[in-house]
Amino acid sequence: MAKSGQERKNIQPGMEVDIVLKQDQRTGKTTRGIVKDLLTKSPNHPHGIKVRLQDGQVGRVKVIIESS
C-alpha cells in the first residue's frame, strides 16, 4: 500500500518516489527517483509535496514507493 505524497511527514530524503514534473502536469506522467531535498515547507499540500530528486529534477510527489 503506497502512502500519499501530500503529507510532508511521509517523505524523507533517500526514499524512492514517483513525482510529476512541472512540464508533465497536464499529462500526469510520473518520473521515479530518490528524494534529495524537500522543497515544500508546509505540513501538507493538495497537489503533493514538492521535492528535488538526486538527479536534480523537481516535481510533486504522487506516490511513495514502499520498500519491501
Side-chain angles (χ1 to χ4, degrees):
M1 175 74 193
K3 285 185 185 157
S4 161
Q6 296 178 357
E7 294 190 49
R8 196 172 194 275
K9 67 177 168 58
N10 290 342
I11 305 166
Q12 289 155 357
M15 290 180 126
E16 188 175 16
V17 295
D18 284 344
I19 65 168
V20 175
L21 302 172
K22 183 83 174 162
Q23 66 266 27
D24 295 331
Q25 280 176 351
R26 286 201 171 129
T27 64
K29 174 177 154 315
T30 59
T31 302
R32 184 161 293 184
I34 306 293
V35 177
K36 182 179 178 200
D37 302 306
L38 279 76
L39 303 178
T40 299
K41 295 293 183 229
S42 63
N44 49 53
H45 190 286
H47 299 170
I49 299 299
K50 190 178 277 187
V51 298
R52 179 181 296 114
L53 300 180
Q54 288 181 341
D55 62 8
Q57 297 184 96
V58 172
R60 294 200 180 273
V61 176
K62 287 296 165 203
V63 180
I64 297 168
I65 310 305
E66 295 287 344
S67 55
S68 48

